[in-house]
Amino acid sequence: MTPTQILSTEIEAPVLDILKRERDQALSAREWKFRLAGYGYAIKDVAGAQVVTKLPQGTEIGVLPKQFH
């Protein structure tokens, strides 16, 4: 995937549930990202968008919805 392409697939509902639950419990964005790593997920910035990836391969899952920013 080139840096100008952004994955446009939607993130599955169970993954979104984990993202939301952990975001609600975290005190900061840094802590949230740390907590997500425990579930095998990461968030990276790609061309101005935040993309959820699967660890350890870094496989892109989809763009993080705006309500999580």
Side-chain angles (χ1 to χ4, degrees), residues 11-26 31-43 52-54 61 64-65 67-68:
I11 302 171
E12 295 178 3
V15 175
L16 283 176
D17 290 342
I18 292 170
L19 295 174
K20 179 165 179 18
R21 184 180 67 238
E22 293 302 320
R23 184 63 183 124
D24 290 343
Q25 293 179 1
E31 179 187 356
W32 178 49
K33 291 177 181 181
F34 179 80
R35 294 172 71 105
L36 291 180
Y39 289 95
Y41 297 104
I43 297 175
V52 179
T53 63
K54 186 110 171 109
I61 297 174
L64 191 64
Q67 70 254 26
F68 289 95

Side-chain angles (χ1 to χ4, degrees), residues 4 10 16 34 43 46 63:
T4 56
E10 290 188 25
L16 283 176
F34 179 80
I43 297 175
V46 176
V63 176

